[in-house]
Amino acid sequence: MRKAHRRLKLTIRALVLSLSMIALLVTVVNSQNQKLVPVQFPEEAVALEAVWGKKGSGLGEFNSPHHLAVDADGNLYVADGGNHRIQKLDPQGEVLAWWGGYGSAPGQFKQPWGLAVDSQGNVYVTDAFNHRVQKFSSEGAFLLGWGKFGNADGQFYFPYDVAVDKDDNVYVADGYNHRIQKFDSQGNFLLSWGRRGSNTGQFSYPCAIADDNQGGIYVSDGENHRVQKFDTKGAFSITWGAQGILQGQFDRPCGIAVTEEGHIYIVDSLNHRVQKFDDDGGFLAFWGQYGHKSGEFSHPAGIVIGQDGRIYVADSENHRIQVFVE
């Protein structure tokens, strides 16, 4: 009964969202002259290129994949959460390597969640339910780990995601501590910012983090339904978003990807879509809706842009990776 009720709610939500996006015109009030002005929704922004995976534990199969990362060779790393492992795929979706397994020993995971690759090709993983970060070689050899459960400096409470800047400093979205922590590449604590709240610079379950290689750090502020931008020392810059289904609004935003051109892609998880913005938060495009067909999403989580411009989305509850091109 609960499952049927949930499916009905998701179907109704998808219908409402689809109708909102299909509508050619809506009217809003222009704050400068109080006139009603038309706002036009864009057409689909991307084309679907490939779909990889299905639910399972075999190689190339997934169980609730979370965040993603790419390396300089175009290989894709997938935090295969429910299988407690990392899978490394080539640009054609073929499995090159995997590592992990359920547990708390070095190299094991309890729900790997976030991923990032540094300038040397090393892979950082937020090991969510072990409340730590682990660092590996590109082939999965364990290098080091740090963190434990807690709220002191260098401790974590369900770390959601990780990002690395051009100097190989490591930023962790420390989800249930509602803050960002910054470390050097050896796991030494440098600084932190944020606490629980809804003011600028505060967070409510930050879900994802990304670096733009220009000194900007973007954070998906999940239950505040917004994106915030900071510099590398945690100084607040800009924010955008509010809860809703219209363009530029979010329902539990999660994965973030930033291109060299300054475009920001946000996985709008509970609206089952991806939205694209400029680097000032100006809305550009969107795609996706709830469903199980190719090009549709069910609670998407992570996103990353390859050097060839391909867009990879972890379609979490459809247990697959979808690949798009603009």
Side-chain angles (χ1 to χ4, degrees), residues 43-82:
E43 296 178 355
E44 288 287 317
V46 297
L48 178 68
E49 182 179 275
V51 179
W52 299 341
K54 62 179 181 178
K55 187 172 185 179
S57 58
L59 293 182
E61 298 176 340
F62 306 104
N63 186 355
S64 297
H66 298 310
H67 288 296
L68 308 170
V70 292
D71 64 20
D73 296 322
N75 299 310
L76 179 72
Y77 299 82
V78 181
D80 188 7

Side-chain angles (χ1 to χ4, degrees), residues 166 205 274:
K166 59 184 177 61
Y205 303 98
V274 175

Side-chain angles (χ1 to χ4, degrees), residues 99 107 109 118 120-126 133-137 140-146 168 170 184-187:
W99 65 90
F109 304 107
D118 69 13
Q120 305 303 308
N122 300 311
V123 181
Y124 297 81
V125 183
T126 56
V133 175
Q134 298 194 68
K135 179 179 178 180
F136 301 88
S137 74
F142 175 81
L143 300 176
L144 64 91
W146 70 91
D168 286 343
V170 180
D184 68 19
S185 61
Q186 297 304 303

Side-chain angles (χ1 to χ4, degrees), residues 148-161:
K148 62 180 182 179
F149 176 78
N151 57 18
D153 293 344
Q155 296 179 345
F156 304 108
Y157 185 8
F158 205 104
Y160 272 123
D161 197 19

Side-chain angles (χ1 to χ4, degrees), residues 128-290:
F129 284 103
N130 281 322
H131 311 288
R132 64 185 180 183
V133 175
Q134 298 194 68
K135 179 179 178 180
F136 301 88
S137 74
S138 61
E139 299 305 315
F142 175 81
L143 300 176
L144 64 91
W146 70 91
K148 62 180 182 179
F149 176 78
N151 57 18
D153 293 344
Q155 296 179 345
F156 304 108
Y157 185 8
F158 205 104
Y160 272 123
D161 197 19
V162 60
V164 178
D165 68 18
K166 59 184 177 61
D167 299 317
D168 286 343
N169 295 308
V170 180
Y171 302 79
V172 179
D174 188 8
Y176 280 53
N177 281 325
H178 312 285
R179 65 183 177 182
I180 305 301
Q181 296 198 67
K182 179 179 178 179
F183 304 86
D184 68 19
S185 61
Q186 297 304 303
N188 297 305
F189 175 82
L190 298 176
L191 61 90
S192 70
W193 70 90
R195 59 186 176 88
R196 189 169 192 176
S198 56
N199 293 330
T200 56
Q202 297 178 342
F203 304 106
S204 183
Y205 303 98
C207 180
I209 189 166
D211 166 70
D212 66 3
N213 287 322
Q214 304 294 323
I217 304 295
Y218 293 84
V219 180
S220 278
D221 187 7
E223 293 195 4
N224 282 325
H225 310 286
R226 65 185 179 184
V227 176
Q228 297 194 69
K229 181 183 179 182
F230 304 86
D231 69 15
T232 56
K233 295 182 179 180
F236 172 80
S237 176
I238 59 172
T239 186
W240 71 91
Q243 187 170 20
I245 64 172
L246 299 181
Q247 58 190 34
Q249 296 179 336
F250 304 108
D251 194 349
R252 198 61 162 77
C254 198
I256 305 179
V258 184
T259 69
E260 292 182 357
E261 296 77 22
H263 294 146
I264 318 299
Y265 296 79
I266 308 294
V267 173
D268 188 6
S269 186
L270 298 188
N271 282 328
H272 312 284
R273 64 184 179 183
V274 175
Q275 296 196 64
K276 178 182 177 182
F277 301 87
D278 64 27
D279 57 2
D280 290 320
F283 174 82
L284 297 175
F286 76 90
W287 72 93
Q289 63 179 14
Y290 176 77

